[in-house]
């Protein structure tokens, strides 16, 4: 709230150039309700009054709403329409004064990310399984989304479908034994699973050692000092994640229903995934925390993968680092909900763990 309050006059002057544009975006992002929008959207009101009333409405809803509003103002498409916003959100130059207590953060370097291609992005998408495991409907959309975004980011994308456990193990060993000229290695695995690991299409298990072991420093020397990113879409148990009630910081009533999906179109990918390897330069992003299901919509794809691809497209052009982008994924997925018979409303909480030693940024190829 403080950011909005301290810059209120500046924001009124800047956003008054096109009040309709910002109103459309704040309603689309559910920062304000439809009722709020109807109150604010009056063509006979002066532009400055519309924006002033909008800022007052946002601040009255509390800190959480103000944070969402500030996030919106930092988006590329919004700043393209209001170029003066870039002045407000441009970070100050980093000081190298030894007396500066934040100097250590400024000394963190970035992984090199300039080779073309950037490296391999391996996608393993298991859809069709031997009985009694069910087909993973909707996973083709996840595959297409991952392929599109990592090709856009400059990776050499290799897709492998419907792999048995032994085929998955052999595939991972094959990639680990190649010479990696690129700056990074990415592996996306989408499958069923159990408490012991990821399932191949034959129902057999691929363990954590089978997945991560081949890419350790001892086994894959050409990836030493290079980031190794693993993205896992799979459950980690058989519990549904239930919501807890929160009270919004708001002075007036508002629509607080979570985004929900029809249970009939949702499925789960059960697996208990593995702990972070001891080796350096790993990032592992998982669709859910230990012990719980993760959701996959049979029509629109999984909550986690679709959010990940969306956030990468939004923030990579601005040079945001990947762990921060994954926080955006955590936020978006955690705000989703669906209703399950006998359980009521259920949620999902992604998680990521890192042994990175530098900032990881996926810069767009020139």
């Amino acid at each position: 709230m403080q950011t909005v309050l301290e810059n209120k006059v500046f924001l009124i002057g800047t956003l008054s150039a096109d009040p309709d544009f910002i109103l459309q975006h704040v309603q689309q992002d559910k920062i304000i309700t439809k009722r709020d929008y109807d109150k604010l959207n009056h063509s006979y009101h002066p532009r400055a009054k519309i924006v002033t009333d909008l800022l007052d409405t946002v601040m009255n809803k509390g800190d959480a709403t103000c944070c969402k509003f500030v996030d919106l103002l930092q988006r590329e498409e919004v700043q393209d329409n209001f170029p003066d916003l870039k002045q407000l959100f441009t970070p100050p130059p980093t000081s190298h004064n030894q007396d500066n207590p934040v100097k250590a953060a400024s000394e963190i370097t970035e992984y090199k990310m300039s080779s073309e291609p950037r490296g391999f992005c391996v996608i393993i998408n298991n859809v069709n399984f031997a009985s009694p495991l069910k087909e993973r409907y909707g996973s083709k959309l996840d595959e297409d989304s991952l392929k599109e975004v990592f090709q856009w980011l400059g990776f050499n994308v290799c897709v492998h479908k419907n792999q048995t456990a032994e085929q998955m193990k052999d595939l991972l060993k094959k990639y680990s034994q190649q010479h990696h000229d690129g700056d990074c290695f990415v592996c996306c695995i989408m499958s069923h699973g159990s408490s012991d690991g990821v399932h191949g299409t034959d129902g057999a298990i691929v363990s954590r050692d089978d997945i991560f072991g081949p890419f350790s420093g001892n086994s894959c020397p050409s990836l030493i000092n290079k980031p190794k990113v693993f993205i896992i879409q799979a459950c980690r148990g058989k519990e549904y994640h239930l919501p807890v009630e929160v009270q919004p910081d708001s002075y007036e009533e508002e629509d607080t229903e979570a985004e929900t999906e029809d249970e009939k179109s949702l499925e789960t990918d059960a697996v208990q995934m593995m702990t972070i390897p001891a080796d350096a330069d790993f990032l592992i992003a998982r669709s859910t925390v230990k012990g719980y299901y993760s959701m996959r919509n049979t029509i629109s794809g999984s909550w986690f993968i679709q959010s990940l691809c969306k956030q990468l497209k939004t923030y990579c052009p601005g040079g945001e680092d990947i762990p921060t982008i994954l926080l955006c994924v955590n936020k978006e997925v955690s705000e989703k909900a669906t209703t399950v018979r006998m359980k009521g409303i259920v949620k999902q909480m992604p998680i990521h763990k890192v042994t990175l030693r530098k900032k990881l940024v996926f810069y767009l190829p020139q």
Side-chain angles (χ1 to χ4, degrees), residues 66-360:
C66 285
C67 287
K68 289 180 68 175
F69 181 66
V70 171
D71 288 344
L72 172 65
L73 297 181
Q74 296 180 69
R75 286 191 200 161
E76 183 178 2
E77 65 268 26
V78 175
Q79 293 194 356
D80 285 345
N81 199 65
F82 303 106
D84 289 348
L85 288 176
K86 296 176 182 178
Q87 302 173 22
L88 181 60
F89 297 107
T90 300
T94 304
S95 170
H96 289 277
N97 187 327
Q98 292 191 358
D99 295 328
N100 187 343
V102 298
K103 180 188 175 186
S106 72
E107 298 301 321
I108 299 176
T109 57
E110 293 182 0
Y111 288 104
K112 177 178 175 290
M113 198 62 59
S114 59
S115 65
E116 295 187 13
R118 298 289 189 252
F120 285 110
C121 172
V122 178
I123 300 174
I124 300 175
N125 184 20
N126 290 339
V127 177
N128 303 314
F129 290 80
S131 181
L133 295 176
K134 298 179 180 179
E135 288 190 30
R136 299 181 58 256
Y137 295 109
S139 192
K140 179 62 168 63
L141 185 60
D142 288 344
E143 174 193 313
D144 292 341
S145 297
L146 287 169
K147 181 178 179 180
E148 177 188 2
V149 76
F150 279 103
Q151 284 180 337
W152 173 66
L153 289 171
F155 283 83
N156 181 9
V157 178
C158 305
V159 178
H160 302 271
K161 302 179 181 180
N162 298 322
Q163 302 288 299
T164 66
E166 286 304 315
Q167 286 173 334
M168 289 176 68
K169 294 175 187 178
D170 291 342
L171 191 63
L172 291 167
K173 287 180 181 177
K174 182 191 82 170
Y175 279 104
S176 72
Q177 292 168 1
Q178 293 189 20
H179 182 76
H180 294 267
D181 292 322
D183 297 327
C184 182
F185 175 79
V186 176
C187 180
C188 308
I189 299 177
M190 299 174 287
S191 188
H192 283 306
S194 70
S195 59
D196 297 318
V198 177
H199 281 300
T201 55
D202 56 349
I205 293 294
V206 182
S207 72
R208 63 183 183 184
D209 292 336
D210 295 323
I211 296 175
F212 300 137
F215 299 94
S216 67
N218 293 331
S219 302
C220 186
S222 64
L223 282 176
I224 292 176
N225 294 324
K226 297 179 181 180
K228 297 162 278 285
V229 178
F230 288 82
I231 297 167
I232 313 294
Q233 165 58 36
C235 298
R236 302 180 64 198
K238 295 184 178 181
E239 294 293 327
Y240 285 105
H241 214 138
L242 302 180
V244 294
E245 292 186 2
V246 295
Q247 183 177 10
D249 295 323
S250 175
Y251 293 114
E252 59 184 56
E253 294 182 2
E254 59 178 307
D255 299 332
T256 57
E257 292 185 4
E259 181 181 349
T260 61
E261 296 193 32
D262 185 356
E263 178 190 359
K264 293 180 181 179
S265 64
L266 286 166
E267 297 181 349
T268 60
D269 296 318
V271 69
Q272 177 185 352
M273 277 309 300
M274 43 301 278
T275 58
I276 196 83
D279 302 73
D281 308 309
F282 276 81
L283 183 152
I284 300 172
R286 306 168 180 170
S287 58
T288 189
V289 295
K290 184 177 181 180
Y292 293 93
Y293 285 123
S294 62
M295 299 299 175
R296 172 176 35 82
N297 191 298
T298 57
I299 299 171
S300 59
S302 67
W303 289 0
F304 174 64
I305 296 296
Q306 291 303 313
S307 176
L308 172 65
C309 293
K310 171 186 170 184
Q311 302 299 340
L312 288 172
K313 288 180 179 179
T314 299
Y315 292 109
C316 282
E320 192 62 81
D321 67 281
I322 300 304
T324 299
I325 292 175
L326 288 171
L327 291 178
C328 297
V329 175
N330 285 1
K331 181 178 184 297
E332 182 175 45
V333 174
S334 69
E335 290 175 352
K336 288 181 173 289
T338 188
T339 302
V340 175
R341 237 182 341 266
M342 306 299 292
K343 293 291 184 179
I345 294 176
V346 297
K347 308 281 285 181
Q348 181 176 327
M349 187 67 246
I351 188 173
H352 60 275
K353 295 185 179 181
V354 302
T355 58
L356 299 177
R357 298 172 298 111
K358 304 177 184 179
K359 290 183 180 180
L360 175 58

